[in-house]
């Protein structure tokens, strides 16, 4: 019978599938690194492995975390091609994705481009780059020319370029190429520029300059370097532009009479060409400051200064009158003066001084004249005029050309007059009024002036001009200033009169042509008189002036809380005034103005711009004068228009508006909750039209205030708005505690919420909606379909705003029922059956576990299955079966059943010995598991003869006290828990025989036996005649390698598989097994079966078998054919004689009877009655004796 226990467990099995490959594998490279990025594929991943290989082999084999999404491989070879393989591992399985990429080759280093002081060639040199490089491409280029390119081998480190343009800038680019990638370095250099031609130099007329000229060089150049040298000393070093072909050396202090050398060098981008030179001399400078040092009526003396920085040998001085030379003198180089005496008074002479220096000379001349006599009795008179004087004198004796008159004022000449020699008077006009003059009269002859004659006089003073009377904007003040009178003035007398009354009398110094009067009446008209005094004369000037009217007091402009209105008012001004004028301005532009009678003190302005700052000016007028005072007034700003809410979120609100009319300085946005400020106000520019208020509490009702600011004035406007409530967090729908239920749970979101609305749906069909208070965060839905997938939506409600959060959940599928595990009386299988579950499910997961709770099998069954057969199980073993239904990855509760396979019967149950009163049996243990064996011996009539109970490891038993020659039935029952299997055999006790055979053998030849001497063994003759009791007459048991005999038994078949290990052997005849079983002698009858390495189904009556490697026989039995299919081939049957086997056992003579069948390694079906066997390799037979009586 089978006893089944069913258990239910809540644990669910977990099954793994193969990993998916990574997606989006991207590889980017630099010279020595590769950056790898990827996205993990769907499903479970235990780890990643990054395998990097090149043409040599594996470079990196890295294991990365399952969460890794990128990795950078460094220290790589530049320019090398790499293969990157991303391996995804999970559950012992792998998937791969590969990419190939190449690192960027290294650019060359130490790149140099040199001209080696040549005009038409360049040499490029560099250091050999690291890494893999296929070739090096060198390109030489310059502006406006075709580039020169050379492709060189990777080990080249220099390149030459010839026939280039002098002075030109060239750029060299050296690129390392590896595959399709390259990396380059650049450098630049210039060829040496060419030389100028046709170089010459000349001296200029100023004796201090030299001009050098040349023709341009060939090739390119940027500029010239021009040098001037005095011997080895460089006097000038200049850079001139490219287009210049001449240059003048000036301002260098060149020494006349000296030879100089000039050089011109061409420069091109820092490179300098060869200098070309030429030379030129400068004439000596003439003497400087040559003049007549002294002249009187009879002598002239000339004086000069030596020319600076000029070489000279000496001077030559010549005196001439007209074209005639009067006298000449040669002077030393250090002389500076020369005097000529006894000359004619008033005569003109020319004195020439010549500077001499070698072959070069230069000269300069000066004119000189003798002095004439002075006049006598000079007189001056003003004749009542302010600007003229009358002069008179007497002529002196002597020879004159004309008279020179000089009028001095304060020792400074103001007029010079020249009159003919016969003139004795002159009217001096345009003089300074009131000034004292001195007249100096001189006679002149050819420019020489005689001694002076002097007379003094004074003009009448002039009246003041440009009188200015200013009140300086003050109501009690007049400041008087005037343009000082022409001429000399001693002082001024100023009188201030109010109508006919003199108020003030002031004497003012001539040094200060101004005065002030204080404590006057504002706005009143006064008369001012100014008298100029010089000597005994004066001159009067009268003007009128008005004081400044007073300004109004405390002007003010108010808006009266209106956005287009200003009212202006003030306190009356003091003193004299005619009217008031009020002007309102914006940006210095008059907007409106009003004239107000002097009896009023206010006015109003309307139709103004809201929020605008105006300047209001109130002017007090008196005559042509006014006094103004200003104040600022600002209209009240208008409020923003169209204030509204924009798009808002859970943590922010957007407020929008149209701009306020008029002028706006800025906007200020405040947010309030319960009339309490949430954040400090935010100030926005006047161009703002919206503002987002962030970091707010979700679901909360706020008040937003937008204020318009214009100056200090503020105009608010407000609106209310609510943030969107936040979604619930951690929303889960999982199976509930009860069957066919879902438990929905969540964590409240941030902020305020009024309530939740939870909806349950299946597909697009809404099943149920429930309102939930805001403090509840869990809800159960009952009575659902097991294993069904449901949609759950939780709405957060605040005011009229909602925010949704959705998820899905599946109910637990139903548990299978009526689960059973039955062996169906089999030893190697269990049949599991169950009833179909209710609800929705996809299939079943079934696990089979042994009694040690180790997993034996794990399978999935499709929907609708109700049974499964587990085979290839261990007989007699107790198993546990777990069955769970599956729906969308959700496992139902486990159903558990237990069952046992039937124990296997014993194998090879055989009579080991039989005598007249007893039987001994042997068997091989049962496959699998047994508790023990029950042994039953039955008579022929099925009555129980004997019974034994033995342990599971027992393999033999004996029954004694039996009747000789009687047939019995032996039954071995294998027990495992409550189940059993049996195996039986018929056996007969022995009877008396007519003849016996005696076999004498040395017992010690049986290895491991308990015999110590020779003995005689009696065997019934029938055993030698093919009976079912095989035996051997004599011969030793020999085991060399794997077969070890421990005891010899009288009969019984042997079955050899694999290596064959015998625990009991026959009473005579050795077995030897080496490598693949080597028999030296077998029993007289019985079947041997060899399947793998020799299975005997029937053995010969005597003679050993020898099997080594491929079995080599040296002698065969007297009769019986052999059949060899693969390795053993018989060619002839002989009645007796040896077997000769070479290579793979080839028989040339076979035995007279008994077939042999050899496949693979030799399979015997029948063996010969006699004849020795010889084994040459491993089997060494020792004693072979056979006697049958």
């Amino acid at each position: 019978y089978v006893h089944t226990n069913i258990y239910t467990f809540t644990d669910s099995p977990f099954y793994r599938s193969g990993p998916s490959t990574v997606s989006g594998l991207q590889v980017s490279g630099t010279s020595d690194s590769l950056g790898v990025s990827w996205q993990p594929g769907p499903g479970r991943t235990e780890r990643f492995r990054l395998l990097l290989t090149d043409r040599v082999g594996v470079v990196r084999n890295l294991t990365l975390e399952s969460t890794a999404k990128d990795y950078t491989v460094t220290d790589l070879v530049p320019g090398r091609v790499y293969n990157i393989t991303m391996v995804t591992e999970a559950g012992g399985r792998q998937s791969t994705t590969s990419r190939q990429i190449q690192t960027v080759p290294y650019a060359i280093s130490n790149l140099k481009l040199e001209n080696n002081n040549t005009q038409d060639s360049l040499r490029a040199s560099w250091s050999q780059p690291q890494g893999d490089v296929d070739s090096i491409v060198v390109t030489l280029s310059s502006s406006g020319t075709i580039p020169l390119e050379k492709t060189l081998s990777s080990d080249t480190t220099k390149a030459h370029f010839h026939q280039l343009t002098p002075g030109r800038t060239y750029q060299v680019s050296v690129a390392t190429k590896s595959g399709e990638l390259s990396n380059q370095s650049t450098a630049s250099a210039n060829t040496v520029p060419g030389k100028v031609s046709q170089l010459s130099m000349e001296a200029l007329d100023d004796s201090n300059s030299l001009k050098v000229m040349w023709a341009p060089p060939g090739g390119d150049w940027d500029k010239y370097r021009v040098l001037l040298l005095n011997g080895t000393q460089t006097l000038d070093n200049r850079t001139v532009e490219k287009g210049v072909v001449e240059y003048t050396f000036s301002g260098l202090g060149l020494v006349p009479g000296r030879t100089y050398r000039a050089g011109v060098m061409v420069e091109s981008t820092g490179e300098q060409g060869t200098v070309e030179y030429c030379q030129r001399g400068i004439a000596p400078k003439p003497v400087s400051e040559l003049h007549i040092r002294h002249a009187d009526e009879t002598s002239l003396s000339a004086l000069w200064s030596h020319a600076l920085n000029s070489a000279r040998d000496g001077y030559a001085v010549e005196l001439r009158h007209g074209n005639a030379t009067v006298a000449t003198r040669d002077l030393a180089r250090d002389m500076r003066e020369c005097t000529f005496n006894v000359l004619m008074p008033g005569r003109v002479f020319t004195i020439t001084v010549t500077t001499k220096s070698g072959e070069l000379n230069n000269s300069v001349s000066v004119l000189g004249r003798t002095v004439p006599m002075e006049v006598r009795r000079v007189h001056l008179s003003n004749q009542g005029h302010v600007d003229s004087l009358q002069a008179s004198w007497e002529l002196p004796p002597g020879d004159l050309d004309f008279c020179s008159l000089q009028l001095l004022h304060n020792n400074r000449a103001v007029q010079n007059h020249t009159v003919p020699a016969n003139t004795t008077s002159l009217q001096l006009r345009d003089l300074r009024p009131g000034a004292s003059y001195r007249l100096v009269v001189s006679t002149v002859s050819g420019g020489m002036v005689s001694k002076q004659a002097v007379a003094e006089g004074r003009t009448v003073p002039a009246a003041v001009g440009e009188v200015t009377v200013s009140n300086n904007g003050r109501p009690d003040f007049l400041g008087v200033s005037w343009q000082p009178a022409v001429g000399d003035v001693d002082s001024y007398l100023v009188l201030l009169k109010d109508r006919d009354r003199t108020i003030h009398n002031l004497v003012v110094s001539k040094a200060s042509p101004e005065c002030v009067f204080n404590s006057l009446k504002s706005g009143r008209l006064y008369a001012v008189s100014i008298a100029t005094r010089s000597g005994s004369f004066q001159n009067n000037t009268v003007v009128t002036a008005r004081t400044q009217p007073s300004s109004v007091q405390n002007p003010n402009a108010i808006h009266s809380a209106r956005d287009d209105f200003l009212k202006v008012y003030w306190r009356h001004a003091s003193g004299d005034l005619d009217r008031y004028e009020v002007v309102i301005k914006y940006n210095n532009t008059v907007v409106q103005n009003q004239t107000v009678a002097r009896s009023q003190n206010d006015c109003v302005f309307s139709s103004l711009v809201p929020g605008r700052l105006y300047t209001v000016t109130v002017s007090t007028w008196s005559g042509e004068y006014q006094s103004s005072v200003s104040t600022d007034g600002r209209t009240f700003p208008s409020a923003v228009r169209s204030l509204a809410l924009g798009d808002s979120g859970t943590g922010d609100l957007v407020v929008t508006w149209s701009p306020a009319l008029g002028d706006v300085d800025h906007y200020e946005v405040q947010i309030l909750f319960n009339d309490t400020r949430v954040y400090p106000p935010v100030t926005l520019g006047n161009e703002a039209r919206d503002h987002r208020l962030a970091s707010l509490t979700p679901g909360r009702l706020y008040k937003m205030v937008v204020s318009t600011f214009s100056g200090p004035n503020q105009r608010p406007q407000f609106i209310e708005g609510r943030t969107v409530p936040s979604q619930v967090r951690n929303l889960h729908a999982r199976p509930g505690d009860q069957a066919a239920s879902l438990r929905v749970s969540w964590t409240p979101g941030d902020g305020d919420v009024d309530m939740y609305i939870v909806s349950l749906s299946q597909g697009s069909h809404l099943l149920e909606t429930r309102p939930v208070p805001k403090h509840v965060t869990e809800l159960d839905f009952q009575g659902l379909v097991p294993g069904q997938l449901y949609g759950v939506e939780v709405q957060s409600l605040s005011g009229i705003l909602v925010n949704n959060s959705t998820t899905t959940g599946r109910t637990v599928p139903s548990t299978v029922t009526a689960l059973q595990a039955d062996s169906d009386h089999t030893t190697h299988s269990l049949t599991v059956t169950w009833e179909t579950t209710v609800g929705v499910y996809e299939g079943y997961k079934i696990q089979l576990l042994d009694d040690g709770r180790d997993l034996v099998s794990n399978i999935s069954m499709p929907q609708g299955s109700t049974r499964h057969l587990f085979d290839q199980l261990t007989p007699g073993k107790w198993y546990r079966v777990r069955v769970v239904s599956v729906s969308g990855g959700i496992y139902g509760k486990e159903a558990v059943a237990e069952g046992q396979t039937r124990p296997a019967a014993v194998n090879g149950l055989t009579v080991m010995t039989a005598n007249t009163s007893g039987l001994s049996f042997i068997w091989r243990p049962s496959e699998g598991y047994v508790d023990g064996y029950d042994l039953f011996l039955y008579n022929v009539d099925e009555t129980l003869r004997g019974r034994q109970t033995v342990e599971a490891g027992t393999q033999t038993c004996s029954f004694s006290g039996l009747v000789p020659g009687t047939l019995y039935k032996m039954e071995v029952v294998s027990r495992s828990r409550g189940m059993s299997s049996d195996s039986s055999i018929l056996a007969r006790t022995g009877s008396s025989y007519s003849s016996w055979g005696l076999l004498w053998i040395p017992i010690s030849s049986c290895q491991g036996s308990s015999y110590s001497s020779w003995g005689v063994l009696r065997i019934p003759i029938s055993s030698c005649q093919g009976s079912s009791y095989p035996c051997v007459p004599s011969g030793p048991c020999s085991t060399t390698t794997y077969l070890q005999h421990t005891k010899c038994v009288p009969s019984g078949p042997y079955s050899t598989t694999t290596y064959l290990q015998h625990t009991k052997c026959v009473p005579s005849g050795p077995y030897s097994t080496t490598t693949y079983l080597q028999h030296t002698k077998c029993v007289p009858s019985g079947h041997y079966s060899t399947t793998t390495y020799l299975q005997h189904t029937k053995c010969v009556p005597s003679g050993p078998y020898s099997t080594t490697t491929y079995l080599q026989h040296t002698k065969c039995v007297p009769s019986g054919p052999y059949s060899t299919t693969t390795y053993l081939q018989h060619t002839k049957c002989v009645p007796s004689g040896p077997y000769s086997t070479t290579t793979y056992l080839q028989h040339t003579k076979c035995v007279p009877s008994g077939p042999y069948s050899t496949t693979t390694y030799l399979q015997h079906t029948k063996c010969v009655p006699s004849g020795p066997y010889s084994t040459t390799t491993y089997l060494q037979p020792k004693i072979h004796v056979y006697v049958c009586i």
Side-chain angles (χ1 to χ4, degrees), residues 531-855:
T532 304
R533 298 189 299 179
S534 178
S536 58
F537 297 97
Q538 69 176 27
N539 204 340
N540 295 330
T541 300
V542 180
V543 297
T544 60
R546 189 186 297 270
T547 54
Q548 183 75 20
S550 298
S551 299
V552 300
Q553 300 179 33
N554 302 324
N556 200 357
I558 58 175
H559 54 67
S560 299
R562 294 171 57 182
D563 57 10
D564 64 344
F565 173 88
L566 281 178
K567 179 179 180 180
V568 183
Y569 60 91
W570 61 89
R571 292 175 59 188
H572 283 296
S574 60
D576 297 343
L577 61 95
D578 298 332
R579 67 186 182 280
Y580 298 111
E581 287 189 2
V582 185
V583 177
I584 185 169
K585 296 180 181 180
Y586 174 68
N587 283 343
N588 295 323
T589 300
V590 176
V591 178
Q592 296 181 28
N593 62 70
Q594 295 184 27
T595 299
V596 181
R598 63 183 180 180
S599 60
Q600 289 183 246
N601 66 342
D602 62 14
C603 65
V604 296
F605 295 93
S606 60
S607 301
L608 302 180
V609 177
R612 179 160 292 179
L613 180 64
Y614 291 96
T615 300
V616 178
T617 302
V618 180
S619 301
T620 305
W621 285 86
S622 178
E624 72 277 13
Y625 290 103
Q626 66 168 348
S627 293
S628 300
V629 63
S630 298
T631 186
D632 290 333
R634 188 185 297 270
T635 54
F636 199 63
S638 62
V640 297
R641 299 172 297 159
S642 303
L643 183 61
L645 288 176
D647 294 336
S648 300
T650 58
D652 60 328
L653 286 172
V654 177
V655 60
T656 64
W657 61 86
S658 296
L661 297 175
D663 291 352
V664 177
D665 292 342
H666 64 271
Y667 297 108
E668 184 180 273
V669 181
Q670 292 188 73
I671 184 166
L672 307 175
F673 174 65
N674 289 339
D675 293 330
T676 301
R677 246 196 266 178
V678 178
Y679 296 114
V682 178
T683 300
L684 305 176
N686 56 12
E687 74 281 357
R689 299 295 180 265
D690 58 68
H691 181 65
R692 181 179 296 273
L693 298 161
S695 302
L696 304 181
T697 301
R700 180 163 290 179
L701 181 63
Y702 292 95
K703 178 187 287 186
M704 283 73 67
V705 180
V706 180
S707 299
T708 305
F709 276 84
S710 180
N713 300 325
Q714 174 185 5
R715 185 78 172 267
Q717 186 81 308
F718 73 90
I719 189 173
E720 290 186 339
R722 187 186 300 271
T723 53
V724 177
S726 62
Q727 292 180 326
V728 298
R729 298 192 299 255
N730 304 321
L731 177 60
H732 299 288
R734 59 182 183 277
D737 296 336
Q738 300 181 11
S741 67
L742 269 182
R743 174 163 294 175
V744 181
S745 63
W746 62 90
T747 301
D750 297 330
D752 298 343
V753 65
D754 297 336
M755 62 181 296
Y756 301 108
I757 298 177
V758 184
S759 301
L760 181 71
S761 61
Q762 180 182 344
S764 59
H765 179 59
L766 180 64
L767 300 179
E768 186 177 356
T769 299
R770 298 185 192 175
V772 179
K774 63 181 180 180
H775 64 273
V776 177
T777 60
E778 190 174 84
L779 182 65
D780 288 335
F781 290 95
Q782 308 290 342
L784 305 180
V785 178
Q788 181 65 54
L789 180 66
Y790 292 94
V792 176
E793 179 183 78
V794 178
Q795 287 186 339
S796 302
L797 181 64
S798 180
I800 63 172
L801 300 179
V802 296
N803 205 341
N804 301 334
S805 183
T806 60
T807 189
T808 58
R810 190 182 297 271
T811 54
V812 176
S814 299
T815 305
V816 298
T817 58
L819 178 64
Q820 293 183 345
D822 191 356
S823 66
D824 291 335
H825 304 290
T826 63
T827 59
H828 293 79
S829 65
L830 279 177
T831 300
V832 181
T833 60
W834 63 91
E835 292 182 359
T836 304
T837 59
V838 297
V840 178
Y841 68 98
E842 298 168 358
Y844 303 98
K845 298 290 185 181
I846 305 177
Q847 287 185 337
L848 181 66
L849 297 88
D850 60 14
D851 52 3
R853 298 299 177 94
D854 294 328
L855 185 64

Side-chain angles (χ1 to χ4, degrees), residues 296-299 343-349 369-372 399 445:
D296 57 17
E297 290 77 10
T298 60
S299 66
L343 302 180
M344 182 65 71
R347 182 162 296 182
V348 178
F349 295 94
R369 185 184 294 270
T370 55
V371 179
D399 191 9
S445 177

Side-chain angles (χ1 to χ4, degrees), residues 218-267:
D220 296 344
W221 72 96
D222 298 332
K223 55 189 176 181
Y224 298 101
R225 176 72 62 180
V226 182
L227 307 173
L228 183 66
L229 297 94
N230 178 16
T232 59
Q233 180 186 6
T234 300
L235 302 179
D236 199 3
N237 186 346
R238 300 280 180 170
T239 298
V240 298
E241 297 178 356
K242 177 180 179 179
V244 176
V245 293
E246 64 181 28
Y247 181 77
T248 299
F249 297 102
S250 62
L252 301 177
L254 302 181
V255 179
R258 187 171 292 172
T259 300
Y260 294 92
R261 190 160 58 107
V264 179
M265 178 173 59
V266 180
E267 294 184 354

Side-chain angles (χ1 to χ4, degrees), residues 263-342:
V264 179
M265 178 173 59
V266 180
E267 294 184 354
S268 177
T269 317
E271 290 291 335
Q272 297 181 340
T274 304
V275 183
E276 291 293 308
Y277 292 97
C278 65
Q279 63 182 18
R280 173 74 179 183
I282 302 177
K285 286 184 178 181
V287 297
S288 61
E289 301 177 1
L290 177 61
H291 64 281
I292 301 300
R293 187 175 81 77
H294 174 72
D296 57 17
E297 290 77 10
T298 60
S299 66
L300 285 175
S301 177
L303 180 68
W304 63 88
S305 297
H306 300 303
L308 298 177
N309 299 321
S310 178
R312 64 184 182 276
D313 297 332
Y315 298 107
V317 183
E318 183 181 35
L319 179 66
R320 290 181 293 111
H321 174 63
N323 293 326
T325 299
V326 177
T328 60
R329 296 178 186 176
D330 290 330
L331 304 178
R333 65 186 305 271
D334 294 327
M335 294 298 293
R336 297 180 56 244
E337 183 178 5
C338 184
T339 302
F340 296 95
N341 298 311
V342 192

Side-chain angles (χ1 to χ4, degrees), residues 873-891:
L873 304 181
T874 302
K877 201 163 192 177
W878 190 264
Y879 291 94
R880 171 173 289 187
V881 179
R882 295 178 180 173
V883 180
V884 62
S885 55
V886 182
S887 178
I890 300 297
Y891 299 98

